[in-house]
Amino acid sequence: VYVRQLAIHLRNSITQAAKDGHKSVYNWQFCNCLGVWARVLTSPGAEEILRPLLYPFVQVCIGVINLMPSSRYFPLRFFVCRLLNQLCATIKLYIPVASYLLSVLEASELSRKPVGKARKWTDIRFVLKVSKLQLQSKLFQDHVCTEVLNLLLQHYAAYSYSIAFPELVLPTIHLLKRVSKKTKNARLSKQIKQFLDKLHTNVNFITQKRAGVNYTPQEFVNRADLSSLQTFKPTDETTFQTMSPLERYLQIQPSKSEEVQSDDVDWDGSKSKRKQSSDDDEDEDDQP
């Protein structure tokens, strides 16, 4: 499937007046096509040849996120954000992924008191949609908040050597501080504070590097070797000791999503055997 075909499918789903028009895009076939193209665009040697496809591909991904910004489709949003993070890390292309993740933390579902129980939790990385019953649970809140911070960590680690890193993370720092003060979720507040500490550490790291810079912003723009001035990443092989604080934290950070996700744990915390049934309000095309 060409990127143009994906864009046509997305356009048709936007222009259609049908109630279920989004289902032509919000399915695993479409999402896996995005995943294949993300791997192609980030493969070695493909950047120079396929660079003209980067912009339309990113626009399609952003269009998919904005097509139906419902809380039930947060897993799909995370799936697309992972693809965009791959582009950020491999091609060093700036994509405003953070804005689509931070808006999740301000969703009303995360501030409501959890109610109800579901039969079983499914790994949020392997579904595109959650049921209404799952949406109202505390486990959903914990999974979503943890996944947002994980993806933000991956996103900013890709720019952790950038000379503009302090300015880049400033809006995120302000918003996370506001969320941390407003939230009643103690787990989320603790995770945000830990993440903010790592961001501040990396800001100080870049600020110290910038103190030794001997060129002005205007000279920075006019320099021919602009790409070499945009980053403080060592030119030789990067070791753990020479990594940026945020990249080092990403390397040693265990998968938080795996800590809170378990296919064999019911919502009440008890162990159970794997069940084949699913919630009645989940559609077949929302399962892998």
Side-chain angles (χ1 to χ4, degrees):
V1 178
Y2 298 108
V3 175
R4 176 179 173 81
Q5 290 177 288
L6 297 176
I8 292 174
H9 278 292
L10 177 60
R11 182 190 62 188
N12 292 339
S13 64
I14 294 174
T15 56
Q16 286 177 358
K19 180 181 178 180
D20 296 333
H22 66 282
K23 289 187 177 181
S24 63
V25 171
Y26 280 19
N27 57 72
W28 279 109
Q29 182 180 8
F30 189 95
C31 290
N32 285 333
C33 288
L34 291 178
V36 169
W37 272 109
R39 295 190 65 178
V40 170
L41 293 173
T42 55
S43 59
E47 179 181 356
E48 183 177 351
I49 301 175
L50 301 178
R51 192 170 187 84
L53 293 177
L54 288 175
Y55 179 77
F57 176 77
V58 171
Q59 290 300 305
V60 169
C61 290
I62 293 176
V64 170
I65 293 175
N66 292 330
L67 179 60
M68 181 172 283
S70 169
S71 301
R72 294 184 66 186
Y73 285 102
F74 279 166
L76 184 144
R77 177 180 301 213
F78 297 152
F79 179 89
V80 177
C81 286
R82 289 188 204 102
L83 301 182
L84 295 177
N85 276 345
Q86 292 178 21
L87 294 178
C88 295
T90 305
I91 306 178
K92 302 305 179 184
L93 179 71
Y94 177 72
I95 305 172
V97 178
S99 60
Y100 301 105
L101 295 171
L102 293 171
S103 62
V104 173
L105 295 179
E106 296 185 305
S108 59
E109 286 79 7
L110 300 184
S111 59
R112 296 174 184 170
K113 184 177 179 179
V115 294
K117 290 184 179 181
R119 291 191 299 268
K120 182 178 283 287
W121 174 255
T122 303
D123 195 323
I124 201 171
R125 295 167 296 177
F126 306 123
V127 295
L128 300 180
K129 177 184 176 183
V130 296
S131 68
K132 293 180 180 179
L133 191 60
Q134 292 173 330
L135 188 65
Q136 300 170 352
S137 71
K138 185 178 186 303
L139 194 56
F140 170 80
Q141 294 179 351
D142 291 340
H143 279 66
V144 167
C145 295
T146 300
E147 189 68 15
V148 167
L149 294 178
N150 279 342
L151 292 172
L152 283 174
L153 173 61
Q154 295 172 16
H155 177 66
Y156 284 122
Y159 307 110
S160 58
Y161 296 96
S162 172
I163 194 172
F165 184 83
E167 291 76 21
L168 185 65
V169 299
L170 187 60
T172 297
I173 290 176
H174 285 307
L175 190 142
L176 288 178
K177 285 182 178 180
R178 185 170 74 242
V179 172
S180 179
K181 291 180 180 178
K182 291 173 57 178
T183 185
K184 297 180 181 179
N185 189 327
R187 180 193 183 100
L188 173 60
S189 180
K190 180 180 178 181
Q191 289 178 329
I192 288 179
K193 290 178 181 179
Q194 291 176 344
F195 182 65
L196 287 174
D197 287 341
K198 300 305 176 182
L199 287 182
H200 284 301
T201 301
N202 207 88
V203 167
N204 294 334
F205 168 76
I206 295 298
T207 302
Q208 294 176 0
K209 295 287 186 179
R210 294 202 309 195
V213 168
N214 58 2
Y215 49 83
T216 66
Q218 185 60 40
E219 292 173 340
F220 174 84
V221 174
N222 295 333
R223 290 283 290 270
D225 55 341
L226 179 62
S227 60
S228 63
L229 301 180
Q230 291 177 331
T231 177
F232 292 112
K233 189 170 185 177
T235 55
D236 54 352
E237 184 177 356
T238 304
T239 62
F240 185 79
Q241 289 73 20
T242 58
M243 288 181 179
S244 66
L246 203 60
E247 190 176 45
R248 193 181 305 125
Y249 179 65
L250 179 63
Q251 291 289 329
I252 64 175
Q253 183 76 353
S255 177
K256 295 282 186 181
S257 57
E258 293 179 358
E259 293 179 3
V260 295
Q261 291 170 350
S262 175
D263 289 340
D264 296 325
V265 178
D266 280 348
W267 288 68
D268 59 0
S270 61
K271 295 289 183 179
S272 67
K273 295 182 179 180
R274 188 177 298 270
K275 300 175 183 177
Q276 299 297 328
S277 59
S278 59
D279 293 302
D280 295 334
D281 57 348
E282 287 188 339
D283 301 314
E284 291 182 359
D285 60 352
D286 294 323
Q287 298 295 334

